[in-house]
């Protein structure tokens, strides 16, 4: 005769099996819905479009096309791919059962404004709240240049400081003319630990 404990163990085992079955079914259907989508991006002259961004709409999943204009992304049927690239109109493609696409991007100049490229050697260190520009450079930054002369250290650290080495015999070898932001050498002042270093 079966006891109450035996019946409860059997019921809990059946419950666990049902939960595992539902979980495995969901996992298998999710994997079946996701598919690998490949494609080739070209312009109207059949040139490959490299560096275009291919993203799944309303998701954080995105890839970039390579030099041949090809891309590979994982998405589901029914989702929308959004393709963007500088100089081309945005393209949206709704995915069907097809897993390979040849897409043509149309060139546009109306949406492209002025392009500004800003370069920097590192994090900002200029004090811009003063009437004259001031660069504050730490001793660790100077030592990391591998130079032995203070003028050369500053030149390798600050993009706006120029110190020229002269190959002339005589006294000119001991004082390098330095300029800061195009000013003459007598208009720049170097302070070491808050004290004036040179004339």
């Amino acid at each position: 005769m079966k006891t109450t404990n035996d019946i409860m163990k059997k019921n809990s085992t059946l419950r666990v099996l049902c939960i595992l079955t539902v979980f495995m079914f969901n996992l298998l259907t999710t994997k079946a819905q996701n598919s690998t989508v490949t494609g080739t991006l070209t312009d109207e002259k059949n040139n490959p479009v490299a560096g275009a961004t291919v993203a799944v709409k309303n998701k954080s999943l995105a890839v970039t096309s390579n030099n041949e204009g090809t891309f590979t992304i994982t998405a589901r049927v029914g989702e929308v791919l959004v393709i963007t690239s500088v100089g081309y109109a945005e393209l949206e493609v709704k995915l069907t059962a097809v897993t390979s696409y040849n897409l043509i991007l149309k060139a546009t100049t109306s949406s492209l404004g002025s392009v500004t490229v800003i370069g920097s050697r590192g994090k900002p260190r200029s004090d811009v709240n003063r009437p004259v520009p001031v660069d504050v450079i730490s001793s660790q930054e100077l030592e990391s240049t591998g130079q032995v002369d203070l003028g050369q250290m500053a030149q390798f650290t600050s993009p706006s400081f120029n110190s020229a080495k002269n190959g002339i015999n005589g006294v000119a070898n001991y004082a390098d003319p330095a300029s800061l932001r195009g000013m003459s050498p007598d208009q720049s002042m170097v302070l070491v630990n808050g004290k004036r270093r040179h004339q």
Side-chain angles (χ1 to χ4, degrees), residues 79-117:
E79 288 184 324
V80 176
L81 293 183
V82 180
I83 297 108
T84 56
S85 183
V86 176
Y88 295 94
E90 183 179 291
L91 178 66
E92 291 191 3
V93 178
K94 187 169 184 179
L95 297 178
T96 60
V98 180
T99 57
S100 182
Y101 293 85
N102 292 321
L103 304 171
I104 298 173
L105 298 180
K106 294 183 179 179
T108 178
T109 55
S110 59
S111 63
L112 184 62
S114 62
V115 178
T116 304
V117 179

Side-chain angles (χ1 to χ4, degrees), residues 36-66:
T36 301
V37 178
T38 60
T40 304
L41 302 176
T42 57
D43 61 10
E44 295 167 310
K45 296 178 182 177
N46 206 25
N47 296 321
V49 178
T53 302
V54 181
V56 179
K57 193 170 189 177
N58 300 326
K59 286 191 175 180
S60 59
L61 180 63
V63 296
T64 306
S65 61
N66 62 15

Side-chain angles (χ1 to χ4, degrees), residues 2 23-24 31 34-36 53 56 98 108 114-115 117 131 139 156 160 163 198:
K2 293 184 179 179
F23 177 74
M24 291 300 290
K31 280 196 169 186
N34 283 337
S35 61
T36 301
T53 302
V56 179
V98 180
T108 178
S114 62
V115 178
V117 179
S139 59
F156 276 77
S160 57
S163 176
H198 298 296

Side-chain angles (χ1 to χ4, degrees), residues 121 125-126 133 135 154-155 157-163 179-183 188:
R121 290 191 188 176
R125 63 168 164 264
S126 295
D135 281 351
Q155 179 174 341
T157 308
S158 178
S160 57
F161 183 84
N162 292 312
S163 176
S179 65
L180 180 64
R181 290 181 174 85
M183 297 184 293
S188 300

